[in-house]
Amino acid sequence: NLARHEQAAADLARLEPLLPVDADSGFSGAVNKLFQSFSQLTVTPNDLNARQTTLDRAQDVANAFQSTATSLAAVRGEADEQLRTSVNKINELAGRIAELNKTLRSASTSSGDPGVEAELHNLMEELSGQVNFAALDQGDGTVAIFIGGNRLLAIGDRTYPIQAGFDAGDRTVLDNNGEDITRYLTGGKIAQHLDTYNRVVPELLASVDDLAANIAGDINFTLQGGADMTGATPGAELFSFDTNAGAALSLKVNPLTPQQLAIATAAQPGGNGNAVGLTQLAQRRQASGYTYSESIGIVAGRLGRSVADAQSNAETQQKLVTQAKAQRQEESGVNLDEEAAQMVQYQRAYEAAAQLFKTLNEMTQTVIDMAR
């Protein structure tokens, strides 16, 4: 559990900067600046420089969403790589445990090998940082390891390696027979790698895609109802994106000229009616019941709370692990005071024995002298 929560805190900490709460950073800041440029056009609707600024701000929005989506995908890729590393590490530890099992089995007829037993327990502790498992004593000095509690990973000198797989786009873990055992892996780093890849990043990306699609779609719809500087209905939308590829990742600005921006209404060519409508979009509540800024804040806030929860859980688990190790040390460790007392007893016994031998030597020498 400690390893999983520490990994969660690390993964979420990499994601948190991608969705800043600060209104001036990331795609949130880019969206705010775009609506500020719409607001400026309500004052100077026919200023070509102001219109060009709006196009530039729109490009900033597209770039920001693309950057966020790319970074989210990169974090997901890291989770995929870390998952493969964990799978390899688990298989490596299983192999080492099997080797020690072989050694312990051959030594079981004697008093055993405390050094090998200690190494075995160290390996199992290391394995627990990778995945949850059950260890069963086999009665001959060896242990059987069941990954996830019910899938054999190692028994005696044999191992049953696991592997990473795909299922409907999600990462999975397969046992030695190719059966999906992902649902049983609830602890260790591997569980968090799976969660980050399969749930955490996809959910965040879906939220960012929804925001990109809603903002771009609403702006396009409003512009299509207006008129450009010639009084004509716009022939092309400001934004375009591919839903299948992901709205955030594919968001782009179409090649419009400043004159083609539909800042006026059809009823009042040359005016600022549509610029007013575009500005009001920023405060309009969407179908979700929130404004754009509120929606962005909710997503960022949810991520921030997840980071705090993961860090808190890791701290709690660290205390539990420390407590457990202290209890184990109390049961199996060496008491230095007791050892020191025993050393004193041994020393006194040695001194007494030495004195006895000295006395015997003197008596023997006396008898010899008398015989002479």
Side-chain angles (χ1 to χ4, degrees):
N1 287 335
L2 171 61
R4 174 166 188 173
H5 290 305
E6 285 182 335
Q7 188 63 52
D11 289 351
L12 293 170
R14 290 199 301 272
L15 291 168
E16 191 174 23
L18 304 180
L19 298 173
V21 180
D22 184 0
D24 295 326
S25 304
F27 64 80
S28 176
V31 170
N32 287 335
K33 290 175 183 177
L34 174 59
F35 281 107
Q36 289 171 7
S37 71
F38 287 146
S39 179
Q40 179 60 39
L41 287 175
T42 64
V43 180
T44 56
N46 297 310
D47 185 334
L48 292 179
N49 289 330
R51 285 169 170 260
Q52 182 59 53
T53 297
T54 296
L55 291 176
D56 294 339
R57 294 288 180 258
Q59 186 60 57
D60 291 342
V61 168
N63 292 341
F65 272 111
Q66 289 176 15
S67 176
T68 301
T70 300
S71 297
L72 287 172
V75 173
R76 196 181 189 208
E78 290 174 11
D80 184 25
E81 187 63 31
Q82 290 173 332
L83 172 62
R84 295 175 184 275
T85 300
S86 283
V87 167
N88 292 335
K89 186 64 176 179
I90 290 168
N91 289 334
E92 175 199 338
L93 291 171
R96 293 167 64 186
I97 289 173
E99 291 176 2
L100 291 181
N101 274 343
K102 184 177 181 180
T103 302
L104 288 168
R105 177 178 288 170
S106 63
S108 63
T109 54
S110 59
S111 59
D113 189 330
V116 176
E117 291 176 355
E119 186 178 354
L120 175 62
H121 284 281
N122 287 336
L123 287 176
M124 289 194 293
E125 186 168 332
E126 186 177 357
L127 180 61
S128 72
Q130 296 293 335
V131 67
N132 56 301
F133 65 92
L136 299 182
D137 189 344
Q138 297 300 288
D140 59 355
T142 68
V143 295
I145 304 296
F146 292 85
I147 192 172
N150 61 1
R151 287 297 189 276
L152 195 59
L153 179 68
I155 185 170
D157 59 359
R158 301 190 304 276
T159 61
Y160 300 85
I162 60 174
Q163 60 181 323
F166 263 120
D167 181 21
D170 285 345
R171 271 295 177 199
T172 59
V173 174
L174 310 178
D175 66 9
N176 190 58
N177 295 320
E179 183 178 348
D180 186 353
I181 60 172
T182 307
R183 63 186 181 279
Y184 302 118
L185 309 185
T186 59
K189 292 182 179 180
I190 196 169
Q192 188 55 46
H193 297 328
L194 287 164
D195 192 44
T196 298
Y197 187 94
N198 294 338
R199 183 189 64 83
V200 176
V201 174
E203 286 183 357
L204 282 174
L205 188 54
S207 296
V208 173
D209 279 340
D210 286 343
L211 286 167
N214 290 337
I215 292 171
D218 289 345
I219 291 175
N220 284 343
F221 181 79
T222 303
L223 286 171
Q224 286 297 309
D228 60 21
M229 289 188 71
T230 66
T233 301
E237 296 179 327
L238 177 60
F239 291 108
S240 62
F241 56 86
D242 183 354
T243 303
N244 293 328
L249 183 63
S250 62
L251 188 64
K252 66 179 182 179
V253 175
N254 292 318
L256 303 180
T257 65
Q259 292 88 342
Q260 290 177 303
L261 277 177
I263 300 304
T265 61
Q268 294 181 326
N272 67 351
N274 218 25
V276 172
L278 289 165
T279 302
Q280 291 174 343
L281 283 177
Q283 300 303 320
R284 193 180 74 185
R285 296 194 178 279
Q286 311 303 305
S288 62
Y290 301 103
T291 65
Y292 299 136
S293 295
E294 289 172 343
S295 296
I296 294 171
I298 288 172
V299 174
R302 188 184 302 123
L303 177 58
R305 287 191 297 273
S306 296
V307 173
D309 289 344
Q311 293 172 341
S312 176
N313 289 335
E315 291 174 2
T316 299
Q317 292 298 327
Q318 181 61 69
K319 292 177 182 178
L320 292 175
V321 168
T322 301
Q323 181 181 17
K325 287 185 175 181
Q327 291 174 342
R328 182 174 64 184
Q329 179 64 24
E330 184 177 347
E331 292 293 330
S332 63
V334 175
N335 187 308
L336 296 181
D337 291 336
E338 292 180 0
E339 293 298 314
Q342 290 180 6
M343 287 294 292
V344 172
Q345 291 178 0
Y346 294 146
Q347 183 178 2
R348 294 290 184 268
Y350 176 80
E351 291 173 352
Q355 186 63 36
L356 175 61
F357 281 113
K358 178 181 179 182
T359 301
L360 289 173
N361 285 337
E362 290 176 351
M363 292 177 63
T364 302
Q365 186 62 46
T366 300
V367 171
I368 292 174
D369 291 340
M370 291 176 64
R372 288 175 181 176

